[in-house]
């Protein structure tokens, strides 16, 4: 129960003095009831119940349509009168009053304490009259909130939004908001704008008016993040292509997915798609596009996938020429290209000659190593091509001979061999007694000393046509020769010879080029394979051997010391000149204060000395100027080029910032501010920031047509930003047709299709069906035959005069037959004679039983042929007449 504040007035009247008025304001009033007595009066006010207590100021609000007012006093009388804002009385009573169903608004209350003027002293005519007034507002309705939804899931938005509170009665005390991460509500006056870049999530709002009424809680869900579409097949997410069944799903961390759409390879417009619906691997190949909308209107990025079940293919090249699969090439190099018309080629693999495993083929690579190559490729959908093979062989076969060199003479047997690691080959040879080369079935050819002396020629060709060089070896069987070789330093001897002859030394077997070191007399005999011999004698005196080597120094020569194995005689030889000093040079540069010099050190013996002194240099400074800025000091750095000594001087005082002011107004999405930018250094800062205005969208409903989608278009009145919602699919044409031009035998007809919804039209041609003529009469006018034909569809007629043509053609053909008929018998007889002669000769030449049987069959066929020719000659006149009739008709 609250005590009302009163504006009171006391009129005190006497006969002699008249009326004196006293006024005041307070929560009580003293009412004078006699010359010496006063009573304190207060007024109580409350609504539906007595909840709450305190003082009720004039013009305060009470949030109840039921109002109780009572005068708290022992005064027996007192009236209460209540008037609305228009001055109409809504209720009155004595000492108390109870009003119900009061509308929101202002109410004035008038009080009269007592039954009127209190008589204070009847003899002096003194009286006292006390009245008072007060007022109250009734506000039983909560504030109204706009820009938000009562739904607990919120009004979904994806841009800057504003929530406002309004109260037509007591007015809004505060709008309260709790953000997605807030633990409690915060007051924001009557309006709150949330920019699009604020924290995403559910914002809760309620408002409280000055009467204490709280609105219901309203919600807005800010979701400025696009949903995300994932495409996956049985093995997980895929990014570009697949050859398996696949599906698309969408996720959204904010408002949730509203709907999905997709376009198949054959579609031009988006269609509805149920998330997770599998698209079978047997579906149409090509690109499938998917997108998703969340409940706030955000549209995901379009995700695409190519369904590709077709294997890629490979093209093989030898040089610039195409080679068939598993083919061969003798070009300088081979290369490959791969093709896939849907998802594209991901990688090409190659297994080169000598490799057990496949490796990745670099696009455009050229292989020059001979051998067999295998290739396959994989497209981006995982389809693997067939394995393609190609043999590169541009190398001629190799020819070798283990016994002797090519283009040389030999006295021994030899064998020439041809080899090719990749292709089959043929070896060709020509002996001294041959004019032309001949091939051998083997890949080798042997020549023995029993063959003719002279040059033997050879070459080889492989299956690809690669041909080796032609080589020769000469067989020359001369007497053997041997050579005795003496080492001048050691006085050792050895014997050498050409070929495979056998040698003996003093009748003992001797191995070719074995050193003979003992003193004495020697007889050497050489016998070749044909039994020819050669003999030579020689004597060995001292037999020197190497004893030691003295190496040269920088100042002394070096040499080799030799000593005889028998008598210890010795000598020096192989002198090597002294090396001389080999000085390395180290230059020590002069400094600003010390001399420079060069140090010479022998790398052999370590001898060392210094020379080439250079006098010290002075400091040579390089200046580096550091420019002064608005806030930093400028100065110059001096640094010596030689020794690096440095110091700082020439200081310059900072200039200070020179700011230029520019004002940037707020836009729908960007905050406004005042920008201060220094014209010297570009330093800047902002002040007086104002919030972004937020978009102010107008809605325009665009109806769907046959070919275009319908929607609600939202356009910002400030910046023109647009987005669409409530998409209605185009409903397609609905054509009806009619024939606009009838078809005839000679002219095409026309059929027109008209859309019953939008009036769109197109025409199709009805092909003319042509005349169908039937002969209706035939007349013979003096040998001329006249035939009349009529079309059974349209009735048109035509006349054909064929009599004279028939006669002319017939007469001419008969003339030709009579002219050449005498000769037909001769043609028949000549043909029969020639055929008979041929058959007779064939029969005579047949010597074997099988050939005689064939000859008999030929004679039977000959007889049948004669009969056929005779029948043709007899039938020719009738054939000619038939042709004549057809031509004439």
């Amino acid at each position: 129960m609250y005590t009302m504040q009163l504006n009171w007035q006391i009129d005190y009247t006497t006969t002699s003095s008249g009326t004196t008025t006293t006024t005041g304001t307070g929560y009580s009033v003293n009412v004078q009831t006699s010359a010496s007595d006063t009573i304190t009066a207060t007024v109580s006010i409350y609504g539906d119940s007595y909840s709450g207590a305190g003082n009720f100021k004039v013009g305060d609000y009470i949030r109840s349509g039921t109002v109780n007012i009572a005068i708290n006093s022992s005064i027996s009388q007192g009236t209460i009168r209540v008037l609305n804002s228009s001055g109409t009385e809504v209720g009155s009573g004595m000492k108390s009053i109870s009003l119900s169903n009061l509308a929101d608004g202002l109410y004035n209350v008038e009080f009269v304490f007592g039954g009127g003027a209190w008589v204070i002293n009847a003899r002096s005519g003194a009286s006292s009259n006390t009245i008072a007034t007060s007022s109250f507002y009734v506000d039983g309705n909560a504030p109204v909130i706009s820009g938000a939804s009562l739904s607990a899931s919120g009004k979904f938005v994806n841009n800057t939004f504003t929530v406002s509170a309004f109260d037509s009665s007591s007015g809004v005390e505060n709008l309260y908001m709790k953000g997605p991460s807030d633990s409690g509500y915060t007051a924001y006056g009557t309006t709150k704008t949330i920019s699009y870049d604020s924290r995403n999530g559910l914002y809760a709002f309620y408002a409280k008016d000055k009467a204490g009424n709280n609105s219901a809680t309203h919600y807005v869900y800010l979701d400025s993040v696009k949903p995300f579409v994932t495409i996956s097949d049985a093995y997980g997410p895929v990014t570009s292509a697949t050859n398996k069944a696949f599906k698309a799903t969408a996720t959204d961390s904010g408002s949730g997915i509203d709907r999905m759409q997709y376009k198949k390879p054959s579609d031009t417009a988006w269609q509805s798609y149920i998330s997770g619906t599998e698209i079978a691997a047997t579906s149409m190949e090509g690109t499938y596009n998917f997108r998703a909308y969340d409940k706030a209107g955000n549209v995901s990025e379009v995700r695409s996938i190519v369904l590709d079940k077709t294997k890629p293919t490979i093209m093989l090249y030898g040089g610039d020429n195409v080679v068939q699969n598993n083919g061969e090439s003798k070009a300088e190099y081979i290369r490959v290209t791969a093709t896939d018309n849907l998802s594209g080629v991901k990688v090409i693999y190659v297994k080169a000659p000598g490799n057990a495993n496949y490796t990745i083929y670099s696009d455009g690579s050229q292989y020059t190593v001979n051998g067999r190559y295998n290739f396959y490729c994989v497209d981006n959908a995982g389809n693997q091509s067939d394995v393609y093979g190609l043999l590169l062989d541009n190398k001629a076969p190799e020819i070798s001979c283990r016994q002797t060199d090519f283009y040389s003479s030999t006295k021994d047997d030899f064998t020439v061999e041809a080899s090719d690691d990749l292709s089959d080959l043929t070896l060709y040879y020509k002996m001294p007694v041959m004019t032309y080369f001949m091939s051998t079935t083997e890949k080798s050819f042997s020549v023995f000393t029993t063959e003719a002396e002279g040059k033997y020629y050879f070459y080889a060709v492989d299956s690809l046509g690669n041909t080796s060089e032609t080589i020769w070896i000469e067989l020359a069987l001369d007497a053997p020769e041997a050579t005795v070789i003496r080492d001048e330093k050691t006085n050792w001897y050895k014997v050498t010879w050409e070929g495979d002859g056998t040698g003996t030394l003093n009748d003992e077997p001797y191995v070719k080029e074995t050193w003979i070191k003992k003193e004495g007399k020697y007889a050497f005999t050489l016998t070749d394979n044909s039994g020819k011999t050669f003999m030579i004698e020689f004597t060995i005196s001292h037999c020197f051997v190497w004893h030691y080597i003295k190496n040269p120094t920088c100042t002394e020569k070096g040499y080799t010391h030799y000593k005889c194995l028998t008598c210890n005689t010795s000598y020096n030889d192989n002198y090597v000149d002294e090396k001389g000093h080999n000085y390395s040079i180290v230059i020590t540069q002069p400094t600003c204060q010390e001399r420079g010099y060069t140090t010479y050190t022998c790398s052999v013996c370590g001898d060392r000395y210094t020379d080439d002194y250079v006098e010290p240099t002075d400091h040579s400074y390089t200046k580096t100027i550091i420019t002064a800025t608005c806030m930093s000091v400028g100065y110059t750095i001096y640094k010596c080029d030689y020794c690096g000594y440095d110091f700082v001087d020439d200081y310059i005082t900072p200039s200070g910032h020179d700011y230029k002011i520019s004002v940037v107004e707020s836009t729908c999405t960007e905050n406004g501010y005042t920008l201060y930018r220094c014209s010297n250094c570009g330093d800047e800062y902002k002040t007086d920031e104002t919030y972004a205005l937020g978009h102010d969208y107008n809605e325009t409903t665009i109806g769907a047509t046959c070919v275009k989608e319908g929607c609600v278009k939202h356009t910002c009145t400030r910046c023109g930003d647009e987005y669409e919602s409530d998409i209605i699919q185009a409903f397609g044409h609905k054509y009806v047709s009619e024939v606009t031009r009838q078809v005839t035998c000679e002219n095409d007809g026309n059929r027109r299709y008209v859309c019953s919804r939008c009036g769109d039209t197109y025409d199709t041609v009805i092909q003319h069906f042509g005349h169908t003529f039937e002969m209706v009469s035939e007349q013979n006018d003096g040998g001329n035959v006249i035939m009349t034909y009529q079309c059974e569809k349209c009735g048109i007629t035509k006349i054909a005069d064929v009599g004279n043509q028939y006669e002319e053609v017939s007469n001419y053909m008969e003339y030709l037959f009579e002219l050449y008929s005498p000769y037909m018998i001769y043609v028949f007889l000549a043909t029969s004679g020639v055929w008979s002669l041929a058959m007779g000769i064939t029969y005579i030449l047949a010597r074997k039983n099988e050939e005689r049987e064939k000859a008999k069959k030929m004679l039977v066929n000959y007889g049948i042929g004669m009969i056929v020719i005779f029948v043709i000659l007899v039938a020719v006149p009738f054939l000619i007449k038939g042709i004549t009739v057809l031509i004439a008709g």
Side-chain angles (χ1 to χ4, degrees):
M1 184 179 295
Y2 292 83
T3 300
M4 292 188 73
Q5 186 182 35
L6 303 173
N7 295 319
W8 49 263
Q9 176 180 322
I10 301 175
D11 294 327
Y12 187 79
T13 304
T14 64
T15 304
S16 60
S17 301
T19 301
T20 301
T21 300
T22 304
T23 60
T25 300
Y27 291 96
S28 64
V29 61
N30 292 323
V31 179
Q32 190 165 6
T33 57
S34 66
S36 59
D37 295 327
T38 60
I39 297 176
T40 300
T42 61
V43 177
S44 299
I45 184 171
Y46 60 91
D48 293 332
S49 64
Y50 293 104
S51 61
N55 294 327
F56 188 92
K57 292 182 180 180
V58 174
D60 269 357
Y61 292 87
I62 186 167
R63 60 175 187 273
S64 172
T66 298
V67 177
N68 298 284
I69 302 174
I71 297 175
N72 304 316
S73 173
S74 60
I75 299 173
S76 60
Q77 293 182 347
T79 60
I80 303 172
R81 185 168 175 254
V82 180
L83 300 90
N84 61 21
S85 59
S86 301
T88 303
E89 182 180 295
V90 296
S92 62
M94 296 296 294
K95 293 200 71 174
S96 67
I97 186 174
S98 180
L99 304 173
S100 59
N101 298 320
L102 293 180
D104 286 2
L106 175 65
Y107 292 88
N108 295 309
V109 187
E110 298 176 352
F111 300 94
V112 176
F113 297 95
W118 294 87
V119 177
I120 305 303
N121 189 329
R123 287 182 297 174
S124 64
S127 65
S128 176
N129 183 33
T130 304
I131 61 173
T133 61
S134 189
S135 63
F136 64 89
Y137 280 91
V138 171
D139 183 3
N141 295 313
V144 176
I145 291 181
S146 61
S149 170
L150 287 170
S151 171
S153 59
K155 172 187 177 182
F156 297 112
V157 297
N158 61 2
N159 218 319
T160 299
F161 66 93
T162 300
V163 176
S164 301
F166 173 75
D167 189 88
S168 60
S169 297
S170 59
V172 176
E173 178 184 85
N174 268 312
L175 173 67
Y176 296 87
M177 184 194 81
K178 183 170 71 172
S181 58
D182 296 341
S183 59
Y185 285 86
T186 303
Y188 288 99
T190 60
T191 301
K192 177 60 178 173
T193 297
I194 305 297
S195 63
Y196 71 97
D197 56 355
S198 300
R199 183 186 297 273
N200 281 9
L202 188 65
Y203 288 79
F205 301 85
Y206 77 90
K208 184 177 182 181
D209 63 17
K210 295 178 181 178
N213 296 300
N214 287 340
S215 71
T217 303
H218 290 62
Y219 302 92
V220 177
Y221 198 106
L222 174 61
D223 180 6
S224 59
V225 179
K226 298 177 182 178
F228 186 78
V229 174
T230 301
I231 302 175
S232 58
D233 58 17
Y235 294 97
V238 290
T239 57
S240 60
T242 185
N243 57 6
K244 304 173 182 64
F246 63 91
K247 61 184 178 181
T249 56
T251 56
D252 187 80
S253 59
S255 57
I257 299 300
D258 180 58
R259 66 187 186 280
M260 291 187 70
Q261 295 177 327
Y262 79 131
K263 279 200 298 189
K264 296 178 291 186
S266 59
D267 291 342
T268 58
W270 291 93
Q271 301 183 37
S272 294
Y273 174 78
I274 299 175
S275 177
T277 301
E278 184 174 84
I279 296 177
T282 56
S283 301
M284 178 186 298
E285 291 184 302
T287 301
Y288 290 77
N289 296 312
F290 297 86
R291 69 183 181 188
Y293 291 81
D294 64 17
K295 295 176 182 177
N298 297 299
V299 185
S300 71
E301 300 293 340
V302 175
R303 296 296 305 278
S304 301
I305 185 171
V306 176
L307 177 60
D308 179 6
K309 300 171 292 184
T310 304
K311 294 191 294 186
T313 58
I314 288 179
M315 185 71 75
L316 306 171
Y317 292 89
D320 293 330
N321 299 319
V322 176
V323 181
Q324 297 299 317
N325 186 17
N326 293 320
E328 301 173 336
S329 174
K330 63 175 183 177
E332 292 184 2
Y333 62 87
I334 64 169
R335 61 184 177 88
V336 301
T337 60
T339 303
D340 188 89
N341 295 326
L342 289 173
S343 60
V345 176
K346 180 179 181 181
V347 64
I348 304 174
Y349 294 96
V350 57
K351 185 166 69 173
N355 290 348
N357 300 316
Y358 282 89
T359 58
I360 294 177
Y361 171 79
S362 298
D363 189 28
S365 295
Q366 299 175 353
Y367 291 112
T368 58
V369 176
N370 282 3
R372 177 163 295 280
Y373 293 81
N374 290 319
F375 300 89
Y376 75 89
C377 65
V378 178
D379 64 19
N380 287 304
N383 299 300
Q384 180 175 314
S385 72
D386 297 329
V387 176
Y388 292 75
L390 177 58
L391 174 67
L392 174 63
D393 183 5
N394 55 24
K395 183 179 178 182
E398 294 184 357
I399 300 179
S400 62
C401 178
R402 294 191 299 271
Q403 294 80 15
T404 186
D405 296 330
F406 296 138
Y407 310 110
S408 66
S409 298
T410 183
K411 305 171 185 177
D412 302 307
D413 300 341
F414 64 88
T415 299
V416 173
E417 297 177 331
S419 62
D420 193 304
D421 296 334
L422 301 174
S423 306
D424 195 13
L425 62 85
T426 302
L427 177 65
Y428 293 86
Y429 69 95
K430 187 176 74 170
M431 302 175 68
V433 296
M434 296 169 57
T435 305
Y436 303 103
F437 281 91
M438 293 186 65
S439 63
T440 175
T441 57
E442 303 295 330
K443 292 181 175 57
S444 64
F445 187 86
S446 297
V447 176
F448 301 100
T449 55
T450 56
E451 305 285 350
E453 292 188 73
K455 289 183 178 180
Y456 289 78
Y457 292 87
F458 303 90
Y459 73 88
V461 181
D462 66 17
S463 59
L464 274 75
N466 298 302
T467 304
S468 73
E469 178 186 3
T470 300
I471 59 93
W472 57 265
I473 299 175
E474 183 178 15
L475 180 62
L477 303 177
D478 295 333
E481 290 184 0
T483 302
V484 177
I485 299 174
R486 174 180 174 272
D487 186 302
E488 294 182 356
K489 292 181 175 57
T490 64
N491 205 35
W492 295 355
Y493 284 71
K494 66 179 178 179
V495 184
T496 186
W497 62 90
E498 299 292 333
D500 294 331
T502 302
T504 59
L505 185 67
N506 292 343
D507 298 326
E508 296 292 331
Y510 176 77
V511 178
K512 184 192 299 185
E513 297 187 359
T514 301
W515 286 106
I516 306 167
K517 303 177 180 179
K518 292 183 178 181
E519 297 179 355
K521 294 184 177 180
Y522 294 93
F524 175 78
T525 302
L526 176 65
T527 305
D528 66 11
N529 294 335
S530 61
K532 296 179 181 180
T533 60
F534 170 82
M535 188 176 71
I536 188 172
E537 295 181 348
F538 56 91
T539 301
I540 298 177
S541 55
H542 290 298
C543 184
F544 291 103
V545 295
W546 169 87
H547 193 216
Y548 62 83
I549 295 176
K550 183 180 184 304
N551 292 320
T553 67
C554 296
T555 57
E556 295 181 354
K557 291 184 178 181
Y559 55 84
T560 302
H561 183 75
Y562 293 91
K563 184 176 181 181
C564 179
L565 292 175
T566 304
C567 63
N568 292 327
T569 301
S570 65
Y571 69 93
N572 296 329
D573 201 354
N574 300 333
Y575 285 95
V576 179
D577 291 337
E578 60 274 12
K579 296 180 179 181
H581 291 298
N582 182 20
Y583 287 108
S584 62
I585 299 173
V586 177
I587 298 174
T588 301
Q589 298 292 343
T591 67
C592 299
Q593 299 178 0
E594 295 184 359
R595 288 194 305 170
Y597 54 87
T598 302
T599 303
Y600 297 85
T601 304
C602 179
S603 60
V604 178
C605 66
D607 181 65
R608 181 176 181 178
Y609 69 95
T610 58
D611 202 354
D612 304 331
Y613 290 93
V614 180
E615 294 303 316
T617 63
D618 292 330
H619 290 299
S620 175
Y621 291 107
T622 296
K623 295 191 295 183
T624 302
I625 299 174
I626 307 300
T627 304
T629 65
C630 297
M631 300 301 292
S632 60
V633 175
Y635 52 88
T636 301
I637 301 173
Y638 294 85
K639 184 172 184 179
C640 179
D641 297 332
Y642 297 130
C643 66
Y645 171 76
D646 60 0
F647 66 92
V648 178
D649 202 352
D650 304 334
Y651 292 95
I652 301 172
T653 304
S655 60
H657 290 300
D658 180 18
Y659 287 108
K660 304 299 181 184
I661 303 173
S662 58
V663 178
V664 177
E665 299 296 337
S666 298
T667 65
C668 294
T669 57
E670 301 290 338
N671 291 342
Y673 52 87
T674 300
L675 177 66
Y676 294 80
R677 180 189 294 274
C678 178
S679 59
N680 296 325
C681 67
D683 179 73
E684 61 180 33
Y685 67 93
K686 299 175 183 178
T687 63
D688 304 327
E689 290 201 42
T690 57
Y691 288 113
L693 302 174
H695 291 298
D696 181 18
Y697 288 105
N698 280 342
E699 296 182 356
T700 304
T701 302
I702 300 174
T705 67
C706 296
V707 296
K708 294 184 178 179
E709 292 179 341
C711 64
V712 175
K713 179 175 286 188
H714 304 262
T715 305
C716 180
T717 59
R718 295 191 183 97
C719 68
D721 178 72
E722 291 183 347
Y723 72 92
E724 296 177 354
S725 65
D726 303 322
I727 304 298
I728 302 173
Q729 298 295 327
F731 38 75
H733 291 300
K734 182 178 181 182
Y735 289 105
V736 294
S737 67
E738 63 175 342
V739 176
T740 58
R741 185 173 65 248
Q742 295 296 329
V743 67
T744 67
C745 296
E746 297 180 346
N747 298 318
D748 292 339
N750 186 79
R751 181 179 294 277
R752 174 160 294 173
Y753 293 83
V754 181
C755 178
S756 61
R757 294 191 177 103
C758 68
D760 180 72
T761 64
Y762 70 92
D763 296 339
T764 60
V765 175
I766 305 173
Q767 295 292 329
H768 68 275
F769 36 73
H771 294 296
T772 304
F773 286 107
E774 184 179 66
M775 188 176 68
V776 296
S777 66
E778 180 178 349
Q779 295 178 351
N780 193 323
D781 185 8
N784 293 335
V785 177
I786 299 173
M787 298 180 179
T788 302
Y789 297 88
Q790 183 177 36
C791 177
E792 63 182 11
K793 294 187 179 74
C794 67
I796 191 173
T797 61
K798 72 172 184 175
I799 298 174
D801 187 353
V802 299
N804 290 335
Q805 296 174 1
Y806 173 80
E807 291 297 332
E808 291 174 3
V809 174
S810 178
N811 292 339
Y812 179 69
M813 295 297 288
E814 288 181 1
Y815 162 74
L816 289 177
F817 179 72
E818 291 174 358
L819 180 64
Y820 292 103
S821 60
Y823 302 102
M824 290 185 182
I825 186 65
Y826 298 112
V827 174
F828 176 74
L829 293 176
T831 303
S832 301
V834 173
W835 203 345
S836 299
L837 180 61
M839 293 301 102
I841 293 172
T842 302
Y843 187 76
I844 292 171
L845 294 177
R847 297 178 180 275
K848 297 181 181 179
N849 292 334
E850 184 180 352
E851 292 177 349
R852 289 194 183 96
E853 290 300 321
K854 290 182 179 179
K856 288 179 181 179
K857 291 180 180 178
M858 292 175 64
L859 291 175
V860 172
N861 293 335
Y862 160 71
I864 296 172
M866 292 298 99
I867 295 171
V868 171
I869 292 173
F870 179 76
V871 170
I872 291 173
L873 292 175
V874 172
V876 164
F878 301 99
L879 178 62
I880 291 175
K881 288 183 180 290
I883 294 172
T884 302
V885 172
L886 291 174
I887 294 174

